[in-house]
Amino acid sequence: MSSIFIILIATAVVLFCIIRLKLHAAISLLIAALLTALLTTPEMIMAFGEQKGMSSAEITSLTHLTVGKRLAIAFGNTSAKIGILIALASIIGTSLMRSGAADRIIRGLLNLFGKKNTSLALLSGSFTLAIPVFFDTVFYLMIPLVKTLTIREPRKFSLYLMTIIAGGVMAHSLIPPTPGPLFVAEEMGIDLGAMIIGGLVIGSITVLAGYLYALWANKRWDLPMRDTADISVKELEKFSLKSTSELPSLSWSLLPIILPLFLITGNTFSSVWLAKDSLAKGVFETIGDANIALFIAAILSLWILWKHLIDQSLFKKYITEALTSAGMIILITSAGGAFGQMLQQTGIGSQIGAMASNYQVALLPMAFVITALVRSAQGSATVAMITAMGVMSGVVNAELTFHPVYLALAIGCGSKIFAWMNDSAFWIITEMSGMEVKETLRHFSALLMVMALAGLVSIMILSTLFPFA
């Protein structure tokens, strides 16, 4: 049985389990990983080991492992790479939201941009918050503000709505520490600082494209603001009623977001610009490590939360909720990592790697299309990125004419096509904004498609002009 056939079967199993059987993504991925491992022959594993440059002893040891052990090792390897980061990112996001720091950032941006540029303030605020906070949470947080602003300007409801979607949705797939880009960067051996910088650049381009579409759509279709009865919105609206003096200061609110980005990217630049044995380089290598940088940010965010909680008995409850949510994400991502590694052991990497020498230009759209197909079929951007990474694993060792970060970003952009009824965010946005399904397709699905295609085009152009190979 060929490796391509095994991958087709495994991918079909993932989609069948999620779409038809309605199984949890983690269970679906583990089932597919187990099936892939069972179908993989010792000869395929040996070819995989040789491709990875393993010694004869390592290859022999790998081929003699049981299916269960291979699966467990792959699961553990992924968890070791991203587990702490996801847990810390969840703590930071929850602390910013519950303390009112996230709302303070939005108010600061509104003051900075002015009333005439409210849509740009919402766009920037959503993009900024989505770096440490999951998109669903960002949307929960900002939709009450959108509704409040729309009371004064009813004709701009769809514009404001699309700006918070456009700002928040791309960071989820392009900028660590969100799980998808974090996983892809770790699997491809891409420095997180480089991934953050690349994600910020491509993210800015896609957000601009989304904003232009939002301006056009707002003029083309009238979208009234309707009554909704969502409890989560009411809970978050209490922050909009507080005076600015009751919220954390803007500098403290921004610190848990800006500081880890500075430390991680500082570590990346120090490795290039500073002497190998310099003190500054040693300091950046320590505190610029992603785990340490986010740990420092998490401590700061916890202090902000503790200081601004009226009822401090809720402190433990909120952190427990954050860690519970993070645990589920870690489980899904680790299961996806196990699936990806089982796919790699089929030897598909050597086949795609061989294509890389002759079809360099086609690799970026290939990664984009594979991710887009999986996303369209099952709805989860993170699962789509994990699955595509498993299929494209062979490119990691290929002689690329461009930096692999471009490939990771192409996978991230591909995860945004096509968002429709099988995506949980589709229904969250539909229900909380009061839109009808056809309106959500116009103001959410089409918006994401425009942004994703703009991202792919910009990635292909930049990989040609600035390959950094």
Side-chain angles (χ1 to χ4, degrees):
M1 187 179 295
S2 69
S3 57
I4 293 178
F5 188 61
I6 293 174
I7 286 176
L8 290 175
I9 293 174
T11 304
V13 167
V14 172
L15 300 179
F16 179 77
C17 289
I18 293 176
I19 298 171
R20 295 293 298 172
L21 301 183
K22 308 297 182 184
L23 293 179
H24 192 277
I27 297 174
S28 302
L29 289 165
L30 285 174
I31 290 173
L34 178 60
L35 178 61
T36 304
L38 289 170
L39 295 176
T40 303
T41 64
E43 291 75 21
M44 290 178 174
I45 297 175
M46 291 177 66
F48 163 77
E50 292 172 357
Q51 180 203 1
K52 287 292 187 180
M54 295 181 179
S55 65
S56 298
E58 289 173 330
I59 293 174
T60 302
S61 175
L62 182 60
T63 56
H64 284 84
L65 287 176
T66 63
V67 169
K69 285 187 177 180
R70 281 197 288 131
L71 197 63
I73 290 172
F75 184 96
N77 287 341
T78 305
S79 181
K81 291 177 182 177
I82 49 84
I84 294 176
L85 295 175
I86 291 176
L88 293 174
S90 184
I91 290 173
I92 294 169
T94 296
S95 298
L96 291 177
M97 182 180 68
R98 295 294 187 178
S99 65
D103 188 62
R104 181 64 184 87
I105 292 172
I106 299 301
R107 296 188 191 191
L109 287 168
L110 287 173
N111 291 334
L112 176 65
F113 284 88
K115 184 178 179 181
K116 292 183 178 180
N117 299 311
T118 297
S119 56
L120 288 175
L122 293 173
L123 188 77
S124 303
S126 181
F127 185 77
T128 303
L129 289 176
I131 294 173
V133 181
F134 297 128
F135 171 72
D136 290 359
T137 304
V138 172
F139 188 80
Y140 285 138
L141 179 68
M142 297 192 70
I143 189 64
L145 183 59
V146 166
K147 291 183 176 182
T148 301
L149 292 168
T150 303
I151 293 173
R152 301 185 183 93
E153 299 179 274
R155 290 284 302 169
K156 291 188 176 181
F157 176 60
S158 68
L159 176 62
Y160 293 160
L161 179 66
M162 284 186 284
T163 53
I164 66 171
I165 294 172
V169 76
M170 291 308 293
H172 181 76
S173 292
L174 294 178
I175 307 172
T178 49
L182 178 63
F183 172 82
V184 173
E186 291 287 357
E187 286 295 300
M188 296 188 71
I190 299 170
D191 179 84
L192 282 187
M195 188 68 187
I196 290 172
I197 294 170
L200 288 171
V201 172
I202 299 301
S204 299
I205 294 172
T206 59
V207 164
L208 176 60
Y211 182 64
L212 294 175
Y213 175 83
L215 290 172
W216 175 81
N218 185 62
K219 293 178 180 178
R220 182 176 177 84
W221 297 298
D222 180 35
L223 181 66
M225 184 174 69
R226 304 182 181 97
D227 291 335
T228 58
D230 193 280
I231 297 176
S232 297
V233 170
K234 291 180 180 179
E235 182 183 8
L236 289 168
E237 278 178 340
K238 64 184 180 182
F239 292 117
S240 65
L241 300 176
K242 288 185 176 181
S243 65
T244 302
S245 61
E246 296 179 88
L247 300 175
S249 68
L250 182 59
S251 58
W252 277 107
S253 298
L254 286 169
L255 195 58
I257 299 175
I258 295 176
L259 182 60
L261 296 180
F262 170 75
L263 294 177
I264 294 171
T265 54
N267 184 31
T268 300
F269 287 121
S270 68
S271 64
V272 177
W273 293 340
L274 300 179
K276 187 176 181 180
D277 55 350
S278 67
L279 176 61
K281 185 175 184 298
V283 171
F284 268 113
E285 284 180 344
T286 301
I287 63 175
D289 174 83
N291 290 291
I292 301 301
L294 260 71
F295 182 78
I296 295 171
I299 295 298
L300 287 172
S301 65
L302 286 172
W303 181 80
I304 294 170
L305 176 62
W306 175 263
K307 184 178 179 182
H308 290 88
L309 271 180
I310 297 176
D311 183 359
Q312 293 183 336
S313 64
L314 295 173
F315 183 81
K316 182 178 179 180
K317 176 179 179 289
Y318 292 154
I319 301 308
T320 300
E321 289 176 353
L323 292 175
T324 300
S325 174
M328 186 59 67
I329 299 296
I330 293 169
L331 179 61
I332 294 172
T333 309
S334 297
F339 178 45
Q341 289 189 43
M342 293 305 102
L343 290 177
Q344 293 177 38
Q345 291 178 14
T346 65
I348 185 63
S350 59
Q351 296 183 35
I352 296 181
M355 293 172 59
S357 59
N358 298 319
Y359 301 100
Q360 288 279 315
V361 177
L363 287 176
L364 294 174
M366 181 192 300
F368 180 91
V369 170
I370 290 173
T371 315
L373 289 173
V374 179
R375 167 62 192 267
S376 300
Q378 53 77 44
S380 169
T382 301
V383 172
M385 294 179 72
I386 290 170
T387 304
M389 187 61 246
V391 176
M392 298 296 295
S393 59
V395 178
V396 177
N397 295 323
E399 291 294 329
L400 297 175
T401 58
F402 50 79
H403 196 285
V405 73
Y406 289 115
L407 190 65
L409 294 172
I411 290 174
C413 288
S415 71
K416 295 307 171 191
I417 295 180
F418 174 68
W420 60 305
M421 280 80 87
N422 62 356
D423 181 4
S424 61
F426 182 96
W427 296 111
I428 290 171
I429 291 170
T430 300
E431 294 299 320
M432 296 186 68
S433 63
M435 288 192 291
E436 299 174 356
V437 169
K438 65 179 181 180
E439 292 171 332
T440 309
L441 289 170
R442 291 172 182 168
H443 297 90
F444 173 61
S445 303
L447 172 66
L448 265 61
M449 183 172 290
V450 168
M451 295 172 69
L453 291 173
L456 176 62
V457 172
S458 61
I459 289 167
M460 295 184 71
I461 293 173
L462 290 174
S463 67
T464 303
L465 296 178
F466 309 102
F468 300 119

